[in-house]
Amino acid sequence: MILLAVTFFVLMILGLPVAFAIGIAGFSFFATGPMPPSIGVQQVASASQSFPLLAVPFFVLAGHMMNRTGITSRLIGCSSVLVSWMAGGLAQVCIVLSALMGGVSGSAVADAAMEARILGPSLIARGYSRGFTAAVIAVSSLITATIPPSLGLILYGFVGNVSIGRLFLAGIVPGLLMMGFLMVTAWLIARRRGYGTEAKGPPSFAAVRRAVADAKWALLFPLALLLAIRGGLFTPSEVGAFAVVYAGVVGFVLHRELTWKGLVEALTEAVVDTGMIMLIILFSGMVGYAIVFEQAPQTIAAALTALTQEPVLVVALVLVFLFVAGLFVESTVLVLLLTPIFLPIVQPLGVDGVHFGILMMTVVTLGSMTPPVGVAMYTVCSLLDCPVEEYVVESLPFVGAVLVLITVLTLWPGLVLFVPNALM
Amino acid sequence: MTGTLYKAEALLANVLLAVIVFLVFGAGITRWFGYPLVWSVDLAQLLFVWVSFLGADMALRKRAHIGIDYLVRRLPGRPRVLLDALLAAVCVAFLGIMAVLGYRLTMLNLERLYGDSGIPYALVTIAVPAGCVMLASTLIGQAWTSLSRLRTEARPIFVAESRGEIEEMVP
């Protein structure tokens, strides 16, 4: 186990892609340990044979199609009508757009990249500082990853054997709360700096109705998705396949904006993204086996419970550890490697797997928005040409707001759990 | 020649992904009407492992696999290429061993069938060695290009030149 961990970290720090670092580290366990290496190969093959995992390529593909079906542009129009009259209007638009996109897309980085390209330049042109613009766009993309469908929650449910349907339902309230927290933060900063509004006052009822009607197919999608999962009629993977077909129907028939070329591009991008995520998942199958074989959860649990038996404190300790790990390691990797370690530790203490999943996903995904290693941060900063130092200073209030929210959610599990408990 | 090969790879992966969507969609619909299609889901999962490896190879070619270049970015050009080449060699060795072991494992378990649908499970297992061979050959090609141009330019193996074109769907 020590050899495995050391191999992983050394290879990763030297710049080897994470998927290969995980593979070689996992293989080192089988090459030196009591189990024959062919078991390792078997683990890689069987890691792919999970039906819930099929939701990953489906929601990735649906997300790539959304941008080409006119759904994204209509959602931008909708959020601009709704909130651009507030102080820091364009920043508020970014935050609300992340929430609306959250209902059709499951990836924080994709949302951040889209907003940095489409909205970022207009924020800077209106006098918002580069750092503030980058921070609002990057941190608010965390909302997209929390509101269902969420790729992170699918992976967590897959490794931890937790109901993905319940996880999806549990993501709604935290996602909306996060939107509120970030909007208040942006409002406070905008007021102090005099970032203006885009309209004189709140929109008229007619204007809201027009914007909502224009974006109706995009806004209906998350409702249809939740209804399908809630009724237990369809599994998350089937809902993912529906999402692709839905995006196709909206793009080809209803909006008439999707072209054959666009569809092929979306497919290719989805295949590449799937390959990237799946190579990590496949190779981590070996590490997962090693973790169970070496009884790592039991060892760490013993050490943790020697410190404290109080469930809330144990969860808090785990979250602090995940936050620090998230600063350095990519979130997919953390979910795949650490869920099988930490979930068996907190579950016997009476912590709900769904509650813990929302907390864990939020904390590790936040790592994509913080230095030194953060994919969303680098993507937004490079697209907006913003120095990382400026980003870091300006993102502090937003990251702080998210941390406050995480504390609130940790202390009141009911906030997370009442929707799934009421509906499923 | 190689250009055609890449295009064929992308085309195959695209078609497979589209087929998977319709297999699962169809299975959902028919189950709803009370006729579950077991083979449809099994076939979807079989094709999925192939799409995964084809996609992983395409991502490798685009140098899109996520790595942490936070420290090595500070290295001067040539030492960094040499370090990358060393890591690539370790990687190729690993993929080679996986390919051999995977091939042997497949040959040992030829009779095993997939659940109830009668699809040979070997079609899943064989994807591992096949995928590892694809990844290894792509990696060898990239390392070769970088090393042979080392005199004139220092081009890292695992990371693309510009950071501007990152557009992944990572959670």
Side-chain angles (χ1 to χ4, degrees), chain B:
Chain B
M1 174 59 201
T2 43
T4 329
L5 204 66
Y6 299 164
K7 273 189 195 143
E9 182 185 41
L11 181 69
L12 178 64
N14 287 353
V15 171
L16 288 183
L17 181 57
V19 169
I20 296 175
V21 170
F22 284 107
L23 284 173
V24 175
F25 182 72
I29 295 286
T30 57
R31 195 171 54 91
W32 207 53
F33 288 109
Y35 301 98
L37 297 176
V38 177
W39 61 268
S40 165
V41 169
D42 282 357
L43 187 59
Q45 278 175 224
L46 162 64
L47 297 182
F48 182 43
V49 69
W50 286 93
V51 169
S52 301
F53 275 113
L54 285 170
D57 190 40
M58 286 157 66
L60 184 63
R61 204 165 287 137
K62 289 177 74 178
R63 300 171 207 261
H65 282 286
I66 301 175
I68 296 175
D69 62 343
Y70 183 71
L71 283 178
V72 288
R73 222 180 325 160
R74 282 136 221 263
L75 278 179
R78 275 182 207 171
R80 175 161 181 202
V81 177
L82 292 176
L83 173 67
D84 271 9
L86 186 71
L87 288 172
V90 174
C91 232
V92 168
F94 158 69
L95 292 167
I97 298 173
M98 289 293 283
V100 172
L101 290 173
Y103 177 76
R104 278 195 210 145
L105 184 75
T106 312
M107 291 302 131
L108 275 175
N109 291 311
L110 278 180
E111 286 82 29
R112 182 175 166 193
L113 294 181
Y114 214 115
D116 310 318
S117 51
I119 303 171
Y121 191 74
L123 291 174
V124 174
T125 341
I126 196 74
V128 178
C132 288
V133 168
M134 284 192 293
L135 290 169
S137 46
T138 303
L139 204 49
I140 291 172
Q142 286 175 335
W144 176 253
T145 316
S146 280
L147 285 176
S148 59
R149 289 186 194 163
L150 195 54
R151 277 173 190 284
T152 49
E153 58 168 342
R155 193 173 172 193
I157 297 175
F158 295 110
V159 188
E161 228 72 49
S162 73
R163 276 200 162 272
E165 284 308 303
I166 318 170
E167 196 187 351
E168 299 113 347
M169 295 284 279
V170 176

